[in-house]
């Protein structure tokens, strides 16, 4: 381990003194989790060049002259994690610098890819700066501005928004509630014509079945399932049904789930569960406890105050009483596992930054929630690697460790297939052809924390 740390320091001196340095690196004696299966390649070497994995083999089988080498003895390497329901900040809220700080928070937690689900034109420029190496951050897929009942005036304007977002360079469409059938069907049809993925919340007037049948790529927050499982003819009064209609959970007909699962499988629908969002934002854990958690100190005080006020009002109104919320959270946890066991694909997502979900840190809380629900460690890792690459039809290009794939990976001290918590403290990451050790990651976090020190 001492040799590993010493060599890291030597290497990092080269990387950070010369940002344009084209990294060629050989890591020896490391245990590799390729994510092509659930096996570990013990005591192997991984050779990377120009941001691509060139070779993985036992050490004695790789021979390259003049290449910097590291001794990763005892360490484990995996492809890194993806946060597929991120919300990159709008620079008008807390400034452009906060956007860059958020990128470091993801990296420091081993999150190397994000799908940002509420677009702003500045996000396209941010993505470009990362891709060109001007800025250090996770690779990005960017959704455009929200398409919802307010922003979409009529079907024709919905079609135009789809075309405009595709032309602007967005990778995905984000749909929010309030759409009726004519608006939604116009958006879905135009998205198919232009070749852009779309998904999001389920509008109540449209419903889960219509959304899935018309090509929803991802259902965010497992939204729409509760409503689709209510007895036919059930009237929903949003003034009493609670957030996401949680107060109606006692009326759910479990017999309807099999049909919905089959519908999702037939239409290749993905699920972004965001379990931790509901446990923290809409859960019954007291707001004052959440506000004091360590990761909150990496955010502007104004933002955490907004979150505090938002949840505190729900608490004061009695919306988040344990007796109301607990049955709903248990329903979501079971629904998540039932969908997973049936083969409906999941993509790792926590919704960050969002009420008490801090970028990067919240992914580890999501991982804990998925584990408590009953998902295996290997399947959890798949939701944040292989599955996310599959989602954008980029299988084998990233999310796995094999020759020809992107050299994006994280080094940790223990085997995450046995201990998920080891991923909370990456010892180093490889991204954009740069090998960044924990000291640098922690330095960036410390600088952010220092900036937002509370009075």
């Amino acid at each position: 381990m001492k040799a590993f740390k010493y060599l890291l320091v030597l290497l990092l001196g080269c990387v950070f003194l010369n940002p344009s340095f084209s990294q060629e690196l050989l890591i020896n004696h490391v245990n590799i989790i390729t994510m092509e299966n659930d096996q570990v390649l013990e005591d192997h070497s991984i050779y990377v060049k120009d941001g691509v994995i060139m070779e993985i083999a036992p050490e004695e089988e790789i021979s390259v002259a003049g290449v910097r080498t590291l001794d990763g003895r005892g360490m484990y390497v995996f492809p890194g994690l993806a946060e597929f329901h991120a919300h990159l900040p709008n620079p008008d809220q807390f400034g452009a610098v906060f956007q860059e700080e958020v990128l470091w928070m993801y990296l420091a937690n081993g999150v190397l890819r994000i799908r940002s689900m509420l677009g702003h034109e500045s996000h396209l420029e941010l993505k470009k700066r990362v891709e060109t190496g001007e800025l250090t951050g996770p690779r990005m897929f960017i959704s455009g501005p929200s398409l919802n009942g307010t922003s979409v005036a009529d079907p024709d304007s919905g079609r135009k928004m789809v075309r405009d977002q595709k032309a602007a360079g967005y990778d995905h469409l984000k749909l929010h509630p309030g759409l009726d059938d004519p608006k939604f069907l116009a958006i879905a049809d135009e998205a198919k014509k232009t070749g852009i993925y779309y998904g999001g919340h389920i509008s109540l007037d449209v419903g889960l079945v219509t959304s899935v049948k018309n090509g929803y790529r991802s259902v965010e927050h497992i939204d729409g399932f509760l409503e689709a499982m209510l007895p036919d003819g059930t009237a929903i009064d949003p003034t009493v049904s609670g957030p996401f209609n949680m107060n109606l959970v006692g009326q759910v007909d479990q017999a309807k789930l099999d049909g919905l699962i089959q519908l999702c499988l037939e239409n290749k629908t993905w699920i972004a569960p965001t379990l931790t969002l509901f446990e923290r934002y809409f859960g019954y854990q007291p707001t004052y406890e959440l506000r004091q958690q360590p990761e909150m100190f990496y955010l502007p005080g104004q933002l955490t105050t907004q979150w505090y006020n938002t949840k505190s009002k729900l608490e004061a109104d009695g919306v988040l009483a344990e007796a109301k919320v607990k049955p709903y959270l248990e329903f979501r946890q079971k629904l998540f596992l039932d969908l997973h066991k049936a083969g409906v694909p999941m993509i790792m997502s926590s919704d960050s930054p969002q009420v008490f979900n801090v970028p990067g840190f919240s992914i580890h809380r999501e991982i804990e929630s998925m584990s408590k629900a009953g998902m295996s460690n290997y399947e959890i890792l798949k939701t944040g690697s292989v599955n996310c690459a599959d989602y954008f039809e980029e299988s084998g290009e990233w999310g796995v460790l094999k020759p020809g794939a992107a050299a994006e990976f994280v080094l940790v001290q223990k085997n995450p297939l046995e201990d998920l918590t080891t991923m909370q403290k990456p010892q180093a990451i490889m991204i954009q052809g740069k090998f960044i050790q924990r000291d640098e990651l922690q330095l960036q976090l410390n600088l952010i924390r220092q900036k937002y020190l509370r009075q």
Side-chain angles (χ1 to χ4, degrees):
M1 188 62 69
K2 288 183 179 179
F4 177 80
K5 290 184 177 178
Y6 176 67
L7 288 169
L8 284 184
V9 171
L10 290 179
L11 178 64
L12 285 163
C14 296
V15 173
F16 286 100
L17 288 175
N18 184 4
S20 63
F21 180 78
S22 179
Q23 184 67 61
E24 189 174 2
L25 175 65
L26 177 64
I27 306 178
N28 293 321
H29 299 300
V30 72
N31 303 306
I32 301 174
I33 301 170
T34 68
M35 291 309 299
E36 292 189 286
N37 52 49
D38 62 356
Q39 303 302 304
V40 178
L41 302 180
E42 297 183 349
D43 198 25
H44 269 56
S45 296
I46 180 168
Y47 169 45
V48 303
K49 181 179 179 181
D50 298 332
V52 177
I53 297 173
M54 307 303 292
E55 192 173 358
I56 294 176
E59 179 186 4
E60 63 272 10
E61 296 183 15
I62 298 181
S63 178
V64 284
V67 175
R68 288 173 175 81
T69 61
L70 298 178
D71 186 342
R73 202 177 306 268
M75 306 289 284
Y76 288 80
V77 177
F78 68 98
L81 301 171
E83 158 67 288
F84 257 38
H85 194 116
H87 282 297
L88 286 172
N90 182 328
D92 296 335
Q93 297 169 319
F94 300 102
V97 173
F98 182 53
Q99 290 182 311
E100 298 179 17
E101 293 168 347
V102 163
L103 300 185
W104 275 110
M105 282 188 261
Y106 284 125
L107 293 182
N109 283 279
V111 176
L112 307 186
R113 295 262 176 169
I114 64 170
R115 182 184 62 147
S116 186
M117 288 299 286
L118 187 59
H120 184 272
E121 59 184 2
S122 68
H123 298 164
L124 296 174
E125 179 62 23
L126 205 64
K127 176 183 176 180
K128 181 180 178 181
R129 291 175 64 197
V130 168
E131 289 178 343
T132 60
E134 177 187 342
L135 190 65
T136 302
R139 298 289 189 178
M140 303 178 197
F141 300 95
I142 306 295
S143 294
S146 172
L147 287 84
N148 56 67
T150 301
S151 65
V152 180
D154 52 50
D156 286 342
S157 66
R159 288 182 181 275
K160 184 177 185 303
M161 288 178 69
V162 172
R163 293 193 299 269
D164 288 349
Q165 291 192 22
K166 174 68 174 180
Y170 291 105
D171 305 297
H172 203 282
L173 304 178
K174 172 66 178 291
L175 276 61
H176 272 104
L179 296 169
D180 57 20
D181 272 353
K183 292 178 183 178
F184 168 74
L185 292 174
I187 291 168
D189 180 63
E190 199 66 31
K192 293 173 187 175
K193 289 179 180 178
T194 58
I196 187 169
Y197 292 136
Y198 58 100
H201 294 248
I202 302 298
S203 290
L204 190 59
D205 289 346
V206 177
L208 180 68
V209 173
T210 299
S211 298
V212 170
K213 283 184 175 179
N214 285 277
Y216 242 56
R217 184 67 172 177
S218 64
V219 176
E220 307 301 306
H221 317 300
I222 330 183
D223 194 18
F225 279 85
L226 184 152
E227 292 81 0
M229 294 169 67
L230 293 174
D232 295 342
T234 301
I236 298 177
D237 181 354
T239 63
V240 297
S241 60
F244 288 86
N245 298 311
M246 65 169 60
N247 294 338
L248 303 182
V249 68
Q251 302 179 39
V252 162
D253 180 359
Q254 287 290 338
K256 290 193 170 190
L257 181 57
D258 286 346
L260 297 176
I261 287 174
Q262 189 59 36
L263 183 69
C264 290
L265 293 173
E266 290 172 356
N267 289 275
K268 300 180 180 180
T269 305
W270 297 69
I271 303 294
T274 66
L275 297 176
T276 186
L277 173 72
F278 286 79
E279 292 164 356
R280 294 166 75 76
Y281 187 172
F282 301 110
Y284 50 87
Q285 184 175 1
T287 303
Y288 68 85
E289 288 185 4
L290 294 170
R291 191 181 194 182
Q292 295 303 314
Q293 291 180 334
E295 64 260 42
M296 301 303 155
F297 295 91
Y298 296 105
L299 298 172
Q302 183 182 351
L303 179 57
T304 55
T305 297
Q306 289 175 3
W307 291 354
Y308 180 88
N309 292 339
T310 297
K311 179 162 175 143
S312 291
K313 186 178 188 310
L314 293 175
E315 288 177 332
D317 293 342
V319 174
L320 303 183
E322 182 175 350
K324 291 183 178 180
V325 174
K326 189 174 181 181
Y328 177 66
L329 295 180
E330 291 173 346
F331 163 77
R332 282 180 53 83
Q333 190 178 66
K334 183 179 184 303
L335 177 59
F336 161 79
L337 193 62
D338 286 344
L339 290 167
H340 165 63
K341 286 183 174 179
V344 179
M346 300 282 173
I347 44 179
M348 186 173 285
S349 50
S350 70
D351 201 334
S352 64
Q354 185 55 279
V355 177
F356 296 115
N357 267 354
V358 179
F361 297 92
S362 61
I363 275 296
H364 298 294
R365 296 194 180 276
E366 183 73 14
I367 287 170
E368 182 180 0
S369 296
M370 289 191 287
S371 180
K372 286 181 177 178
M375 183 180 274
S376 73
N377 289 13
Y378 176 65
E379 291 296 333
I380 289 172
L381 263 64
K382 279 186 67 176
T383 70
S385 56
V386 176
N387 288 10
C388 293
D390 290 349
Y391 181 91
F392 279 107
E393 298 183 332
E394 296 178 351
S395 304
E397 297 178 29
W398 57 277
V400 293
L401 300 182
K402 68 177 185 178
E408 299 174 2
F409 52 78
V410 176
L411 280 80
V412 292
Q413 292 182 326
K414 299 178 182 179
N415 182 358
L417 297 177
E418 298 175 353
D419 183 353
L420 294 169
T421 64
T422 192
M423 296 187 291
Q424 296 174 15
K425 291 186 176 181
Q427 299 304 298
I429 65 171
M430 185 84 189
I431 187 76
Q432 300 171 296
K434 301 175 184 177
F435 193 81
I436 309 174
Q437 70 167 337
R438 179 156 187 82
D439 288 351
E440 175 65 18
L441 297 172
Q442 190 59 54
L443 172 62
Q444 294 296 331
L445 287 180
N446 291 345
L447 290 172
I448 295 168
R449 180 184 170 91
Q450 181 68 30
K451 178 180 176 181
Y452 297 119
L453 275 177
R454 309 292 194 268
Q455 297 298 321

